[in-house]
Structure formats: C-alpha cells, structure tokens
Amino acid sequence: GWLFQKVLYPSLTWRRDTVGDKTIYLTFDDGPIPEMTPDILEILKAYQAKATFFCVGDNIRKYPDIFKKTQEAGHSIGNHTYNHLNGWKSKDSIYLENIALCTSAIQENTIYSLPEKILFRPPYGRISYSQMRKLKAEYEIIMWEVLSGDFSSSIDPETCLLKTIQNTQP
C-alpha cells in the first residue's frame, strides 16, 4: 500500500533532505499512553535524541500529563486523528472532523505555540486523494520511509531493530 501511495502522492512529506548531515527523523505514533510513552521519553533523554510524536486525540484527553511531559522534553507533536481512523474506510466529512477534534485536543493541551502548519500522519498511512487535497492547506502530511513493524507480534524485537537499522539512512 504505502509504496504505491509514495508514487501516487509525491507532494506528501516522505523524507527530508538532511544536506549531508547524519540526521534521522524518529517518529512515534498512537500515544500518549502510560504503558510506553514514559519509557520512550526516558530512552530518548538518555541518548539526547528528539522525536516527533503523532498523537491520538482521545489519548491526549485521557493522558494530558504524559502529553505535556512529551512537549516539556522538547519533542515535536503531530496529529494522528482523534480515534485512529483509517482514511480509506472513512467518509471525508467524518475523517476531517476527527482530525479537527484531535487538533483541538492538541491546542487545548499544548504548552508551546504550534507551527503554522500542524504535522499530520494518517493512521495506517491510509489517506484518500480528496482527504489529502482538503488537508494540505492547514497540515503538513508526514509519511515515512522506514516502518519498523514493531506493531506486529510476529516480529521479534531483535529482528525489528535490525531491519530498521539496515533500512535507515540520513
């Protein structure tokens, strides 16, 4: 699916040119959640690394303190819809309303000023052309080049890590 989308939607952000720097952009989706986000924040702190957290609005509502700690640690925040909706399975009006709800949750709980264009990552990487077209003015739609696969119980952590490292480049 997502390789096809990369060809179909070249205007989405799939990568950023690091101009020779050895920089990678780490992103985490679906939080904030107490089972993982605090541990991720500690690991990032230990390595003095920053990341972007694409947050689900309902999780921001449930765990505003973890959301604020993520920002206090200097990480970027992005919108991942309010209820983790699949754009391919959602009517545009419902999908766009869900994204707006998440943006409201971000705005109500942010401790810093937000960028002019809020970062948005479609759950599962699934977004229709009409949804993309309607969102582009207000959001920068961020995809990915390397998907770790850590969501799959069929991939052990070591394999997940090795494949991610092998496929990662500046």
Side-chain angles (χ1 to χ4, degrees):
W2 69 271
L3 283 174
F4 176 71
Q5 279 190 290
K6 191 172 181 179
V7 173
L8 208 60
Y9 304 141
S11 67
L12 303 184
T13 301
W14 294 91
R15 68 183 339 258
R16 289 221 165 109
D17 189 0
T18 61
V19 194
D21 290 342
K22 290 185 176 182
T23 301
I24 59 170
Y25 291 92
L26 294 173
T27 62
F28 297 91
D29 295 354
D30 305 343
I33 54 171
E35 298 82 8
M36 296 188 78
T37 308
D39 291 339
I40 293 168
L41 292 175
E42 285 301 315
I43 293 166
L44 292 169
K45 182 179 178 182
Y47 287 94
Q48 299 175 6
K50 300 298 179 201
T52 301
F53 288 79
F54 288 94
C55 298
V56 171
D58 194 40
N59 287 340
I60 294 170
R61 179 191 62 79
K62 290 181 205 168
Y63 311 111
D65 291 343
I66 299 172
F67 180 72
K68 287 176 182 165
K69 284 178 185 169
T70 302
Q71 296 170 77
E72 288 167 352
H75 302 290
S76 298
I77 299 298
N79 181 320
H80 201 49
T81 74
Y82 196 84
N83 299 108
H84 205 265
L85 296 186
N86 181 331
W88 291 359
K89 295 180 178 179
S90 303
K91 289 173 62 176
D92 286 6
S93 59
I94 291 170
Y95 191 68
L96 298 172
E97 181 181 320
N98 205 264
I99 292 165
L101 275 173
C102 184
T103 294
S104 292
I106 290 170
Q107 290 169 332
E108 290 166 15
N109 292 282
T110 193
I111 59 173
Y112 301 113
S113 60
L114 295 169
E116 188 177 318
K117 278 193 169 188
I118 295 173
L119 303 178
F120 171 71
R121 172 169 286 158
Y124 315 102
R126 306 244 166 102
I127 187 169
S128 72
Y129 182 77
S130 62
Q131 292 162 351
M132 178 199 67
R133 211 178 68 246
K134 292 171 185 168
L135 291 170
K136 289 282 290 176
E138 196 175 337
Y139 297 90
E140 181 179 358
I141 303 170
I142 306 292
M143 301 302 273
W144 59 81
E145 281 218 325
V146 177
L147 187 60
S148 68
D150 63 326
F151 50 82
S152 174
S153 59
S154 66
I155 301 175
D156 65 90
E158 292 77 21
T159 302
C160 178
L161 176 63
L162 284 173
K163 285 186 170 197
T164 301
I165 290 171
Q166 287 170 352
N167 290 297
T168 299
Q169 57 184 315

